[in-house]
Amino acid sequence: QFYRFRITPLKIGSMTNRLVLASASPARLKVLTQAGVIPLAWPANIDEDAVRAGLKTTDPSQVVTALAQAKARHIGQLLTTPEKFCPDNLSQANTVREELKNLPVGERFAVVGCDSMLLLNGKLRGKPHSFERALQQIHELSGASPILFTGHCALALKRSTTGFTFENEVAGHSQATLYFSEISPEEARAYAKTKEPLEVAGGFTIDGLGGAYIESIEGDPHGIIGISLPLVRKLLNELGFFWPNLWKVLPKKS
């Protein structure tokens, strides 16, 4: 079946229809968009190494959740106390702030932050960044069954007469086990050369070229791409938001 899309603002209930995604990830943006949600994207530039260094735990679920919290809180602070911060992406920050200023006074909106890491051979792996590290991780993934953890944090904020105020925060994580095919050294090098694995958690992505090497998954499928729709919906429900009010694009059968 083929689908076309129509833009349809819904007015169900009295909750907000605005979501801010504290991420620069095209994959997370795509997942949300395909689910009918078009967020305001505002990447959170935080020092992830510093956040991890300050943690008293190495538990994978707690590490990724702490990183997600740091991202969401960073954007929340930029909104509620902008005079204390000078974001790198100032133009984008101003665009988001101006869009949110169009909300009626008293209107609530959400900020969502996420972070993913791969538990492989007893170690948490983030983005390789370099060809050499990516190639090494791809070799380790061959025939392996690592677990991908994705932390999520959602904040509730409100439009005030003078700006924005913080209300509440909830957090959680999703996880999934991935079963990789055997990857030959030649294929590993060819994949690393594409540069796709350099800037994705664990050095692979299921929604791109790397998907051909993943035979099956056990657990949350969306979390593997970077954002769990069921978990985000649950967290937003806890904050008092109505998920259908976030829908901006509805699929229509043609």
Side-chain angles (χ1 to χ4, degrees), residues 9 36 63 86 136 160 165 169 182 203 215:
V63 171
C86 183
Q136 178 58 40
S160 68
T165 57
E169 171 187 316
E182 296 291 336
E215 294 187 350

Side-chain angles (χ1 to χ4, degrees), residues 200-254:
V200 290
F204 84 95
T205 176
I206 195 171
D207 59 331
L209 301 176
Y213 303 107
I214 300 170
E215 294 187 350
S216 63
I217 63 172
E218 180 181 344
D220 188 332
H222 292 105
I224 295 174
I225 306 176
I227 184 167
S228 167
L229 292 175
L231 180 54
V232 171
R233 172 180 167 272
K234 177 183 177 182
L235 295 176
L236 292 180
N237 281 346
E238 290 181 19
L239 291 173
F241 294 112
F242 186 52
W243 180 257
N245 268 357
L246 295 172
W247 292 337
K248 293 292 186 179
V249 181
L250 298 178
K252 181 179 180 181
K253 294 182 181 180
S254 59

Side-chain angles (χ1 to χ4, degrees), residues 23-211:
S23 174
S25 168
R28 291 186 181 120
L29 183 61
K30 183 178 180 180
V31 169
L32 286 170
T33 301
Q34 289 179 333
V37 179
I38 303 178
L40 291 170
W42 186 351
N45 297 319
I46 65 167
D47 188 337
E48 297 186 19
D49 291 336
V51 173
R52 291 187 64 185
L55 298 177
K56 297 180 180 180
T57 178
T58 58
D59 179 270
S61 63
Q62 295 184 41
V63 171
V64 293
T65 301
L67 288 167
Q69 289 174 315
K71 293 178 180 180
R73 290 171 180 174
H74 180 67
I75 298 303
Q77 289 175 322
L78 289 173
L79 285 167
T80 57
T81 55
E83 69 280 355
K84 296 182 180 179
F85 299 90
C86 183
D88 297 330
N89 49 340
L90 187 57
S91 176
Q92 190 167 13
N94 287 335
T95 299
V96 173
R97 287 182 59 83
E98 289 305 311
E99 180 74 18
L100 291 173
K101 284 181 180 179
N102 291 325
L103 293 174
V105 173
E107 184 82 356
R108 303 171 74 239
F109 63 95
V111 175
V112 173
C114 305
D115 192 86
S116 299
M117 297 192 79
L118 190 73
L119 183 63
L120 174 63
N121 295 331
K123 296 180 181 179
L124 271 179
R125 316 296 179 92
K127 300 173 183 177
H129 296 304
S130 70
F131 171 84
E132 292 75 16
R133 290 182 64 183
L135 182 60
Q136 178 58 40
Q137 286 187 195
I138 296 168
H139 284 313
E140 291 185 64
L141 288 170
S142 178
S145 53
I147 302 174
L148 186 77
F149 292 84
T150 300
H152 299 67
C153 179
L155 309 181
L157 287 87
K158 180 183 291 186
R159 175 76 168 95
S160 68
T161 55
T162 57
F164 310 98
T165 57
F166 169 80
E167 283 194 339
N168 203 358
E169 171 187 316
V170 290
H173 80 282
S174 68
Q175 66 184 71
T177 302
L178 299 99
Y179 297 91
F180 280 81
S181 304
E182 296 291 336
I183 306 172
S184 70
E186 294 77 16
E187 283 186 304
R189 179 168 289 274
Y191 181 43
K193 282 184 176 180
T194 68
K195 297 184 179 180
E196 179 183 88
L198 272 62
E199 299 303 323
V200 290
F204 84 95
T205 176
I206 195 171
D207 59 331
L209 301 176

